[in-house]
Amino acid sequence: MDFIRGTTLVHLKMRCWGGEKKASRDSDINVGQGGKLPPKKLLDLGRKKIFPPKALDPLMSKRKSAERACLANGTRFMGGFSVPNDEIDDLVTRLDSIKANFQLELENFLANFESNKDAWLAENSEFSHIIRNQVPDLDTVEKSFEFSYKLYKLQPVEGYEPDDNDVANQILHEIGLSCKEMSDRLLNRKRAINGNKLSEQFNPIIKKLDTLSFGNGRLLKVLNEFTVMQKALPLELIDQEHPCYGQVLTFLSMCADSKKLEHIIEGTFSVNKLIAGMQKSTMDTVSGVSQSASLSLTQPGKVHASTAGAFF
C-alpha cells in the first residue's frame, strides 16, 4: 500500500495521425501500373504510407518525450504511469513544456500539410492515383491529434491491493531496459570515458530505484548494488583495457537479464564479489608472470611450461 499512497497515476492521452492506410486485400497492395508491387517506403507489413513519414516525425517524437518523462522517475501501471508524489510538480512542468512544443509542431505540420502531400505524390507519381484518394482532408487530420494528461489518486478496494512484487518486477524490467541502453552506449564508444561521466549515467537509475522502492526488498537489493558499483568507479579515464570496463559491462548485462538479475537479488552475485574476483585474477596473473620470470633466471637451460608458448 505504500506504493499506492506514495504515487500519483498519470494518464497520458496522445493521438497522432500515422499517415498510413491499412492494405486489407491483395488488390489494395498491387495497385501500381501493371499490378506492380509498391516499394518498401510505401508499403510496410500491409500498411500503405500515404503521407511522408518525416513530416510526422517531430510530432511522434513529442509523444516519446512525454513517455520518457513519466518513466524517468515513474513506472508503467494500470495503463498509465505511477510517479512518486514528490516528483509530480516537476513532471507537470515538463509535460506542459512538451505539450506546448507539440502544439507548435502541430501548427507547423498543418500549415505545410498540402505542400507535403503534393511532394509525396510527386515523389511517388506511379502510385499517386491511389494515394491521393486515401489522404483525409485537413480538418479530419487535425482532429486525429491530441496531447493531454490527467492525474489520479488511487484507492484500492480492501483485499484487492496490487502485489508489491508485481510492481517491483515491472520497475526492474524498466531498469533492465535502461541497463541495456547504457551497456550498448559503452560498447559503441570509440574513446575512453571519464569516470565521473560514467558515474553520472548511474544517477537516473539510482534515483528511480530509490524513489519507487517504498521498502520493497527486491528493489532495495538492486539499489544497493548500483550504489556500490557507482562508488567503485575510479576517477581516471576508463578505456576497454581498464579492469573497471569489464566490471561495469558484466554488472549491466546481469541487470538487463531478468533471470540473471535474480542472482543479484538472491545474493549469489554481487558487485563486491565481482570486483574481488577480478582483483584476484589480476594478482594471480601478475604472480604467475613473476614466478615464471624467476624460474627462467634461475634455470636458464630449462624452458618453463607456462612460458613455452611465447616461443611459437
Side-chain angles (χ1 to χ4, degrees):
M1 285 297 291
D2 286 342
F3 173 81
I4 294 297
R5 288 193 293 264
T7 61
T8 297
L9 183 67
V10 181
H11 184 263
L12 294 176
K13 188 174 184 181
M14 296 173 290
R15 295 188 298 120
C16 287
W17 180 62
E20 297 178 337
K21 182 73 174 181
K22 185 175 181 180
S24 57
R25 301 168 301 175
D26 290 343
S27 58
D28 292 333
I29 298 176
N30 297 315
V31 291
Q33 297 177 2
K36 184 179 179 182
L37 189 68
K40 287 185 178 181
K41 69 175 182 178
L42 288 181
L43 188 63
D44 182 18
L45 296 177
R47 301 191 69 87
K48 294 194 296 290
K49 298 184 185 300
I50 58 177
F51 206 81
K54 288 185 177 180
L56 288 157
D57 285 347
L59 289 159
M60 298 293 189
S61 69
K62 298 300 179 290
R63 178 167 62 182
K64 293 178 182 177
S65 296
E67 291 179 347
R68 285 196 298 269
C70 291
L71 285 171
N73 297 307
T75 186
R76 295 186 186 276
F77 187 69
M78 293 187 66
F81 304 87
S82 277
V83 179
N85 296 333
D86 292 342
E87 303 291 335
I88 285 296
D89 288 345
D90 287 341
L91 176 60
V92 166
T93 299
R94 292 183 65 184
L95 290 178
D96 285 344
S97 176
I98 295 171
K99 181 178 180 179
N101 289 328
F102 179 88
Q103 289 302 131
L104 290 175
E105 293 292 355
L106 178 57
E107 291 172 9
N108 181 63
F109 172 81
L110 296 174
N112 293 285
F113 181 79
E114 294 298 335
S115 61
N116 279 324
K117 181 177 73 173
D118 291 342
W120 190 245
L121 291 171
E123 184 179 340
N124 303 281
S125 57
E126 186 176 359
F127 302 93
S128 61
H129 59 290
I130 55 99
I131 295 176
R132 181 180 291 107
N133 294 330
Q134 296 189 41
V135 178
D137 61 77
L138 184 60
D139 289 339
T140 301
V141 170
E142 183 176 5
K143 293 175 182 177
S144 299
F145 291 92
E146 181 180 357
F147 187 114
S148 62
Y149 64 91
K150 302 293 182 182
L151 306 180
Y152 300 93
K153 293 301 294 181
L154 300 180
Q155 182 60 49
V157 175
E158 185 177 354
Y160 294 91
E161 298 87 352
D163 185 272
D164 288 344
N165 281 333
D166 286 345
V167 175
N169 289 339
Q170 172 61 33
I171 296 169
L172 291 174
H173 169 71
E174 293 163 2
I175 294 297
L177 295 177
S178 298
C179 289
K180 186 180 184 307
E181 292 176 0
M182 187 175 173
S183 63
D184 288 344
R185 290 197 304 269
L186 191 58
L187 280 169
N188 292 329
R189 282 187 68 90
K190 303 301 181 182
R191 299 180 180 179
I193 184 172
N194 181 276
N196 283 330
K197 186 174 182 180
L198 181 58
S199 176
E200 289 173 0
Q201 295 185 25
F202 279 80
N203 288 336
I205 297 176
I206 289 175
K207 183 179 180 181
K208 180 167 180 170
L209 284 167
D210 185 33
T211 56
L212 287 172
S213 61
F214 295 105
N216 182 274
R218 294 173 63 80
L219 296 179
L220 289 174
K221 179 61 179 177
V222 178
L223 171 61
N224 178 70
E225 295 302 308
F226 268 97
T227 303
V228 173
M229 185 79 260
Q230 186 183 51
K231 290 181 178 178
L233 296 176
L235 300 178
E236 69 260 25
L237 288 174
I238 300 170
D239 59 17
Q240 293 186 358
E241 302 300 322
H242 196 290
C244 185
Y245 180 87
Q247 294 171 356
V248 172
L249 281 179
T250 299
F251 175 64
L252 292 175
S253 68
M254 294 286 290
C255 294
D257 187 307
S258 59
K259 292 183 179 179
K260 293 178 181 178
L261 182 62
E262 290 301 319
H263 290 288
I264 293 177
I265 295 172
E266 293 168 1
T268 56
F269 175 94
S270 70
V271 172
N272 284 327
K273 290 179 181 179
L274 174 66
I275 296 173
M278 289 192 172
Q279 288 176 341
K280 183 179 184 301
S281 177
T282 301
M283 291 177 64
D284 288 346
T285 300
V286 172
S287 176
V289 171
S290 299
Q291 183 180 13
S292 174
S294 175
L295 287 170
S296 297
L297 289 173
T298 58
Q299 302 179 45
K302 182 179 179 180
V303 177
H304 193 264
S306 65
T307 61
F311 291 96
F312 296 92

PDB file of all heavy atoms in Angstrom, residues 53-70:
ATOM      1  N   PRO A  53       6.584  10.209 -44.036  1.00  0.00           N
ATOM      2  CA  PRO A  53       6.825   9.945 -42.601  1.00  0.00           C
ATOM      3  C   PRO A  53       7.639  11.035 -41.909  1.00  0.00           C
ATOM      4  O   PRO A  53       7.390  11.343 -40.733  1.00  0.00           O
ATOM      5  CB  PRO A  53       7.594   8.620 -42.623  1.00  0.00           C
ATOM      6  CG  PRO A  53       7.187   7.964 -43.895  1.00  0.00           C
ATOM      7  CD  PRO A  53       7.024   9.088 -44.877  1.00  0.00           C
ATOM      8  N   LYS A  54       8.610  11.633 -42.606  1.00  0.00           N
ATOM      9  CA  LYS A  54       9.468  12.646 -41.982  1.00  0.00           C
ATOM     10  C   LYS A  54       8.674  13.854 -41.513  1.00  0.00           C
ATOM     11  O   LYS A  54       9.069  14.525 -40.554  1.00  0.00           O
ATOM     12  CB  LYS A  54      10.564  13.069 -42.949  1.00  0.00           C
ATOM     13  CG  LYS A  54      11.642  12.011 -43.167  1.00  0.00           C
ATOM     14  CD  LYS A  54      12.766  12.550 -44.043  1.00  0.00           C
ATOM     15  CE  LYS A  54      13.865  11.500 -44.200  1.00  0.00           C
ATOM     16  NZ  LYS A  54      14.977  11.995 -45.057  1.00  0.00           N
ATOM     17  N   ALA A  55       7.569  14.152 -42.192  1.00  0.00           N
ATOM     18  CA  ALA A  55       6.748  15.295 -41.790  1.00  0.00           C
ATOM     19  C   ALA A  55       6.078  15.053 -40.442  1.00  0.00           C
ATOM     20  O   ALA A  55       5.743  16.002 -39.716  1.00  0.00           O
ATOM     21  CB  ALA A  55       5.696  15.578 -42.859  1.00  0.00           C
ATOM     22  N   LEU A  56       5.888  13.767 -40.099  1.00  0.00           N
ATOM     23  CA  LEU A  56       5.230  13.417 -38.843  1.00  0.00           C
ATOM     24  C   LEU A  56       6.214  13.152 -37.709  1.00  0.00           C
ATOM     25  O   LEU A  56       5.816  13.090 -36.539  1.00  0.00           O
ATOM     26  CB  LEU A  56       4.360  12.172 -39.047  1.00  0.00           C
ATOM     27  CG  LEU A  56       3.079  12.393 -39.861  1.00  0.00           C
ATOM     28  CD1 LEU A  56       2.604  11.090 -40.467  1.00  0.00           C
ATOM     29  CD2 LEU A  56       1.995  13.012 -39.004  1.00  0.00           C
ATOM     30  N   ASP A  57       7.489  12.982 -38.032  1.00  0.00           N
ATOM     31  CA  ASP A  57       8.496  12.637 -37.022  1.00  0.00           C
ATOM     32  C   ASP A  57       8.539  13.603 -35.836  1.00  0.00           C
ATOM     33  O   ASP A  57       8.620  13.155 -34.676  1.00  0.00           O
ATOM     34  CB  ASP A  57       9.879  12.536 -37.671  1.00  0.00           C
ATOM     35  CG  ASP A  57      10.036  11.248 -38.468  1.00  0.00           C
ATOM     36  OD1 ASP A  57       9.181  10.351 -38.313  1.00  0.00           O
ATOM     37  OD2 ASP A  57      11.003  11.143 -39.247  1.00  0.00           O
ATOM     38  N   PRO A  58       8.499  14.942 -36.051  1.00  0.00           N
ATOM     39  CA  PRO A  58       8.554  15.856 -34.896  1.00  0.00           C
ATOM     40  C   PRO A  58       7.410  15.655 -33.908  1.00  0.00           C
ATOM     41  O   PRO A  58       7.602  15.774 -32.694  1.00  0.00           O
ATOM     42  CB  PRO A  58       8.496  17.248 -35.551  1.00  0.00           C
ATOM     43  CG  PRO A  58       9.023  17.034 -36.930  1.00  0.00           C
ATOM     44  CD  PRO A  58       8.520  15.679 -37.330  1.00  0.00           C
ATOM     45  N   LEU A  59       6.219  15.330 -34.430  1.00  0.00           N
ATOM     46  CA  LEU A  59       5.076  15.104 -33.546  1.00  0.00           C
ATOM     47  C   LEU A  59       5.200  13.768 -32.826  1.00  0.00           C
ATOM     48  O   LEU A  59       4.908  13.666 -31.630  1.00  0.00           O
ATOM     49  CB  LEU A  59       3.782  15.142 -34.366  1.00  0.00           C
ATOM     50  CG  LEU A  59       3.388  16.541 -34.862  1.00  0.00           C
ATOM     51  CD1 LEU A  59       2.442  16.439 -36.053  1.00  0.00           C
ATOM     52  CD2 LEU A  59       2.751  17.352 -33.753  1.00  0.00           C
ATOM     53  N   MET A  60       5.641  12.752 -33.534  1.00  0.00           N
ATOM     54  CA  MET A  60       5.835  11.441 -32.913  1.00  0.00           C
ATOM     55  C   MET A  60       6.892  11.514 -31.810  1.00  0.00           C
ATOM     56  O   MET A  60       6.780  10.839 -30.775  1.00  0.00           O
ATOM     57  CB  MET A  60       6.260  10.415 -33.963  1.00  0.00           C
ATOM     58  CG  MET A  60       5.237  10.174 -35.061  1.00  0.00           C
ATOM     59  SD  MET A  60       3.728   9.381 -34.428  1.00  0.00           S
ATOM     60  CE  MET A  60       2.893   9.002 -35.978  1.00  0.00           C
ATOM     61  N   SER A  61       7.921  12.314 -32.024  1.00  0.00           N
ATOM     62  CA  SER A  61       8.998  12.424 -31.033  1.00  0.00           C
ATOM     63  C   SER A  61       8.506  13.048 -29.737  1.00  0.00           C
ATOM     64  O   SER A  61       9.012  12.727 -28.656  1.00  0.00           O
ATOM     65  CB  SER A  61      10.167  13.236 -31.601  1.00  0.00           C
ATOM     66  OG  SER A  61       9.821  14.602 -31.754  1.00  0.00           O
ATOM     67  N   LYS A  62       7.521  13.928 -29.809  1.00  0.00           N
ATOM     68  CA  LYS A  62       6.981  14.557 -28.596  1.00  0.00           C
ATOM     69  C   LYS A  62       6.231  13.532 -27.751  1.00  0.00           C
ATOM     70  O   LYS A  62       6.254  13.572 -26.522  1.00  0.00           O
ATOM     71  CB  LYS A  62       6.062  15.727 -28.968  1.00  0.00           C
ATOM     72  CG  LYS A  62       6.757  16.844 -29.707  1.00  0.00           C
ATOM     73  CD  LYS A  62       7.878  17.437 -28.883  1.00  0.00           C
ATOM     74  CE  LYS A  62       8.616  18.537 -29.612  1.00  0.00           C
ATOM     75  NZ  LYS A  62       9.433  18.039 -30.747  1.00  0.00           N
ATOM     76  N   ARG A  63       5.574  12.616 -28.415  1.00  0.00           N
ATOM     77  CA  ARG A  63       4.890  11.551 -27.683  1.00  0.00           C
ATOM     78  C   ARG A  63       5.908  10.693 -26.929  1.00  0.00           C
ATOM     79  O   ARG A  63       5.713  10.352 -25.761  1.00  0.00           O
ATOM     80  CB  ARG A  63       4.080  10.678 -28.650  1.00  0.00           C
ATOM     81  CG  ARG A  63       3.387   9.508 -27.962  1.00  0.00           C
ATOM     82  CD  ARG A  63       2.350   8.856 -28.845  1.00  0.00           C
ATOM     83  NE  ARG A  63       2.916   8.290 -30.058  1.00  0.00           N
ATOM     84  CZ  ARG A  63       2.189   7.703 -31.009  1.00  0.00           C
ATOM     85  NH1 ARG A  63       0.873   7.651 -30.888  1.00  0.00           N
ATOM     86  NH2 ARG A  63       2.763   7.191 -32.069  1.00  0.00           N
ATOM     87  N   LYS A  64       7.005  10.365 -27.586  1.00  0.00           N
ATOM     88  CA  LYS A  64       8.051   9.579 -26.939  1.00  0.00           C
ATOM     89  C   LYS A  64       8.697  10.364 -25.800  1.00  0.00           C
ATOM     90  O   LYS A  64       9.045   9.795 -24.765  1.00  0.00           O
ATOM     91  CB  LYS A  64       9.102   9.168 -27.976  1.00  0.00           C
ATOM     92  CG  LYS A  64       8.571   8.196 -29.018  1.00  0.00           C
ATOM     93  CD  LYS A  64       9.628   7.861 -30.062  1.00  0.00           C
ATOM     94  CE  LYS A  64       9.078   6.922 -31.123  1.00  0.00           C
ATOM     95  NZ  LYS A  64      10.094   6.638 -32.183  1.00  0.00           N
ATOM     96  N   SER A  65       8.848  11.668 -25.984  1.00  0.00           N
ATOM     97  CA  SER A  65       9.427  12.506 -24.932  1.00  0.00           C
ATOM     98  C   SER A  65       8.560  12.507 -23.684  1.00  0.00           C
ATOM     99  O   SER A  65       9.062  12.471 -22.553  1.00  0.00           O
ATOM    100  CB  SER A  65       9.617  13.948 -25.436  1.00  0.00           C
ATOM    101  OG  SER A  65      10.550  14.002 -26.482  1.00  0.00           O
ATOM    102  N   ALA A  66       7.246  12.550 -23.867  1.00  0.00           N
ATOM    103  CA  ALA A  66       6.317  12.541 -22.730  1.00  0.00           C
ATOM    104  C   ALA A  66       6.402  11.218 -21.974  1.00  0.00           C
ATOM    105  O   ALA A  66       6.405  11.195 -20.736  1.00  0.00           O
ATOM    106  CB  ALA A  66       4.889  12.782 -23.214  1.00  0.00           C
ATOM    107  N   GLU A  67       6.507  10.111 -22.708  1.00  0.00           N
ATOM    108  CA  GLU A  67       6.615   8.808 -22.060  1.00  0.00           C
ATOM    109  C   GLU A  67       7.936   8.694 -21.296  1.00  0.00           C
ATOM    110  O   GLU A  67       7.967   8.164 -20.183  1.00  0.00           O
ATOM    111  CB  GLU A  67       6.502   7.699 -23.109  1.00  0.00           C
ATOM    112  CG  GLU A  67       5.109   7.593 -23.710  1.00  0.00           C
ATOM    113  CD  GLU A  67       5.025   6.509 -24.770  1.00  0.00           C
ATOM    114  OE1 GLU A  67       6.094   6.016 -25.202  1.00  0.00           O
ATOM    115  OE2 GLU A  67       3.896   6.163 -25.176  1.00  0.00           O
ATOM    116  N   ARG A  68       9.020   9.194 -21.885  1.00  0.00           N
ATOM    117  CA  ARG A  68      10.318   9.154 -21.195  1.00  0.00           C
ATOM    118  C   ARG A  68      10.284   9.995 -19.929  1.00  0.00           C
ATOM    119  O   ARG A  68      10.878   9.622 -18.908  1.00  0.00           O
ATOM    120  CB  ARG A  68      11.428   9.639 -22.124  1.00  0.00           C
ATOM    121  CG  ARG A  68      11.837   8.639 -23.192  1.00  0.00           C
ATOM    122  CD  ARG A  68      13.181   9.018 -23.802  1.00  0.00           C
ATOM    123  NE  ARG A  68      13.128  10.314 -24.453  1.00  0.00           N
ATOM    124  CZ  ARG A  68      12.837  10.491 -25.732  1.00  0.00           C
ATOM    125  NH1 ARG A  68      12.567   9.456 -26.504  1.00  0.00           N
ATOM    126  NH2 ARG A  68      12.820  11.706 -26.259  1.00  0.00           N
ATOM    127  N   ALA A  69       9.590  11.130 -19.980  1.00  0.00           N
ATOM    128  CA  ALA A  69       9.490  11.995 -18.800  1.00  0.00           C
ATOM    129  C   ALA A  69       8.762  11.269 -17.668  1.00  0.00           C
ATOM    130  O   ALA A  69       9.165  11.356 -16.495  1.00  0.00           O
ATOM    131  CB  ALA A  69       8.756  13.291 -19.158  1.00  0.00           C
ATOM    132  N   CYS A  70       7.715  10.528 -18.002  1.00  0.00           N
ATOM    133  CA  CYS A  70       6.959   9.791 -16.987  1.00  0.00           C
ATOM    134  C   CYS A  70       7.756   8.620 -16.436  1.00  0.00           C
ATOM    135  O   CYS A  70       7.627   8.264 -15.262  1.00  0.00           O
ATOM    136  CB  CYS A  70       5.642   9.295 -17.567  1.00  0.00           C
ATOM    137  SG  CYS A  70       4.449  10.603 -17.946  1.00  0.00           S
TER     138      CYS A  70
END
